Amino acid sequence: MKYFLSAALICLVITVKAQNITKQQIDGWLIKCDTAYKPGKVSGYAFNKTMYEPKDSVKLNSDLALIKSADLLTVDPFWNEELISTTNNAGKFTVLILKKGEQNAAIKQSTLKIALSKYKKTQSGKIGIASAEPVLVINGQPVTQADCLEKLSAVKAETITDIYYSKHPVPQELYGPNAKNGIVTVWTK
């Protein structure tokens, strides 16, 4: 029975990784990240160097169908005030959707430097206490809070295929209490 459940779980993971992404899935992810994110507050979606208005769901879904969820690097919401200090869409946000494999070496190097600056050496006795550090995920596996600086420091820039730092919240049920501090996602060769 245990083997059957394991096999079923592996099949489910493979099926989910092969699925195409939809605007509805993105909106669902955003709501899990922070209840302040509501589909009605989206001013647009930026994907593949194109800006889509919320009403462009059919076109966005059609373009998203070109990638599988395993090829997605990040979905990152930016409040419009973060992007443009004076905007007609105050209180709304733009959703950035990035595919893997679109970063050049300079972006990878600078993002790694920024990511490293977000982690501090842990002090004994403080392990397990939520801090202001973001969640670290390397090759799809979350890293324990106490090991973040060590694991990220061990990553060589030339082995990085993709890296992204988002200061925006991610779902706490997936990543724990530090999810409110954002996420650093690293993929290596």
Side-chain angles (χ1 to χ4, degrees):
M1 183 67 169
K2 182 169 41 171
Y3 296 112
F4 174 74
L5 289 175
S6 296
L9 182 60
I10 289 169
C11 289
L12 177 64
V13 168
I14 290 169
T15 304
V16 169
K17 283 190 174 189
Q19 289 179 344
N20 290 25
I21 301 158
T22 66
K23 179 183 167 294
Q24 289 173 318
Q25 290 170 320
I26 290 170
D27 290 342
W29 169 264
L30 294 172
I31 291 168
K32 284 182 183 178
C33 292
D34 187 339
T35 55
Y37 301 132
K38 306 260 188 257
K41 289 191 168 207
V42 176
S43 65
Y45 299 83
F47 172 65
N48 216 16
K49 299 179 180 144
T50 303
M51 191 68 184
Y52 302 83
E53 292 184 24
K55 65 182 179 180
D56 297 333
S57 295
V58 172
K59 175 71 173 132
L60 177 58
N61 280 332
S62 173
D63 290 348
L64 286 171
L66 301 175
I67 66 168
K68 304 288 182 207
S69 58
D71 296 328
L72 185 68
L73 177 59
T74 189
V75 173
D76 200 359
F78 287 89
W79 293 102
N80 287 351
E81 292 80 9
E82 293 177 274
L83 299 172
I84 305 170
S85 56
T86 57
T87 179
N88 294 333
N89 288 321
K92 293 201 170 212
F93 60 95
T94 299
V95 180
L96 176 64
I97 306 163
L98 293 178
K99 296 186 297 185
K100 291 179 185 173
E102 296 186 335
Q103 297 174 319
N104 63 36
I107 290 172
K108 292 175 192 177
Q109 184 67 41
S110 66
T111 305
L112 178 60
K113 185 177 179 181
I114 291 167
L116 281 166
S117 73
K118 301 300 172 186
Y119 299 99
K120 298 172 183 65
K121 280 195 166 184
T122 57
Q123 298 171 0
S124 60
K126 299 247 180 183
I127 297 171
I129 298 173
S131 70
E133 296 175 348
V135 171
L136 175 61
V137 178
I138 298 177
N139 295 325
Q141 299 297 314
V143 176
T144 60
Q145 178 187 346
D147 297 333
C148 288
L149 182 60
E150 178 187 343
K151 296 280 187 186
L152 191 58
S153 296
V155 173
K156 303 278 186 252
E158 59 274 6
T159 66
I160 295 173
T161 57
D162 294 283
I163 183 169
Y164 192 77
Y165 164 62
S166 171
K167 64 182 179 178
H168 302 103
V170 292
Q172 279 197 318
E173 68 261 19
L174 297 177
Y175 299 111
N178 279 16
K180 68 183 179 299
N181 303 320
I183 188 169
V184 174
T185 306
V186 181
W187 293 93
T188 61
K189 298 176 188 173

